[in-house]
Amino acid sequence: MHAVILAGGKGVRLRPYTTSLPKPLVPIGGEHAILEIVLRQLSVAGFTSCTIAIGHLGEIIRAFVGDGSRWGVEVDYSTEENPLGTMGPLLTMRDRLPETFLVMNGDVLTDLDYADVLRDHRTSGAPLTIATYARKVNIDFGVLTTDDGRVVGFSEKPSLDYRVSMGVYGLSRSTLEPYTPGLPLGFDELVLDLLAAERQPNAYEFGGYWLDIGRPDDYDRANAEFTIRKQMLLKGA
């Protein structure tokens, strides 16, 4: 099994932590970089090869990870010279990817079974599989529904339940064929194109532990919880 880790972003929302360090290498619990945890998890899940898409401070990532041999994963790299969006880096490496593979952001902290996501993708026959997570937002106001200047509905401080993308995907190489390498391609654009073509992506629903280390408060939470989550996150590693 092959995985692609997207690690080329600048991590703007996580500054000042990412001023001199790429976001996938910020330490968790003072012990492990996020990217190290991900590579350990992929190895335990049975992934034997991985491509890391690098850009901002990419040489630091390359120096830290090397060929991946210490984790039992054969690692190579794809360098993003200009920003290409979430999915754009995949187009430049398309010819060397297997027909089905895992794609994930390099700043995800979760106990998700990556191998099962890829198995589910292969079984579904869908062009794209999106790992999803349930979120709830509490609205602290009375919410009005209006029509033509009149109030036609009211809800006092409702809660909104929805599912979000976890930043982990199963993808088929053929799904990328309509797009031109070297041009930007966002995850949002890919999903909207598939929906417009009535090629609905598959949803892999997950209810375990997940943090997207994109903001300082999420990063602080990850560090605070790591001691009690370590065995779960690094089981078998």
Side-chain angles (χ1 to χ4, degrees), residues 17-220:
Y17 301 112
T18 53
T19 302
S20 58
L21 199 65
K23 185 164 59 169
L25 293 189
V26 295
I28 298 295
E31 298 182 63
H32 305 282
I34 300 173
L35 185 55
E36 177 189 357
I37 294 172
V38 169
L39 287 168
R40 286 173 178 261
Q41 291 175 325
L42 289 171
S43 179
V44 170
F47 285 81
T48 57
S49 59
C50 174
T51 300
I52 303 180
I54 56 176
H56 176 67
L57 301 177
E59 290 308 309
I60 300 178
I61 293 176
R62 190 191 291 267
F64 177 81
V65 175
D67 62 4
S69 56
R70 58 177 155 156
W71 299 292
V73 180
E74 183 179 339
V75 174
D76 64 0
Y77 299 87
S78 176
T79 302
E80 183 180 349
E81 302 295 345
N82 299 299
L84 294 174
T86 312
M87 293 295 177
L90 300 173
L91 303 179
T92 63
M93 64 180 87
R94 183 172 58 196
D95 293 343
R96 53 191 173 105
L97 291 171
E99 176 51 34
T100 57
F101 54 95
L102 188 82
V103 183
M104 63 178 298
N105 295 338
D107 57 357
V108 173
L109 197 62
T110 179
D111 64 336
L112 174 68
D113 186 338
Y114 296 123
D116 195 55
V117 174
L118 189 52
R119 282 193 296 266
D120 189 68
H121 174 67
R122 289 170 173 169
T123 302
S124 72
L128 170 70
T129 292
I130 305 171
T132 69
Y133 198 80
R135 286 290 200 190
K136 175 178 285 188
V137 173
N138 297 318
I139 309 299
D140 294 329
F141 304 95
V143 175
L144 304 173
T145 303
T146 62
D147 182 28
D148 196 24
R150 293 182 179 274
V151 175
V152 296
F154 174 77
S155 181
E156 176 63 18
K157 297 181 179 179
S159 293
L160 300 180
D161 296 297
Y162 56 95
R163 301 202 71 86
V164 299
S165 168
M166 294 175 60
V168 181
Y169 322 102
L171 187 60
S172 298
R173 187 180 60 203
S174 56
T175 304
L176 301 174
E177 288 179 359
Y179 301 96
T180 303
L183 296 181
L185 176 64
F187 170 73
D188 54 345
E189 181 182 352
L190 177 62
V191 172
L192 291 173
D193 285 349
L194 290 173
L195 293 175
E198 298 185 351
R199 301 177 64 205
Q200 287 83 2
N202 176 44
Y204 182 97
E205 297 187 355
F206 179 66
Y209 182 76
W210 172 67
L211 274 179
D212 178 352
I213 315 299
R215 299 174 302 177
D217 55 343
D218 292 324
Y219 180 54
D220 291 342

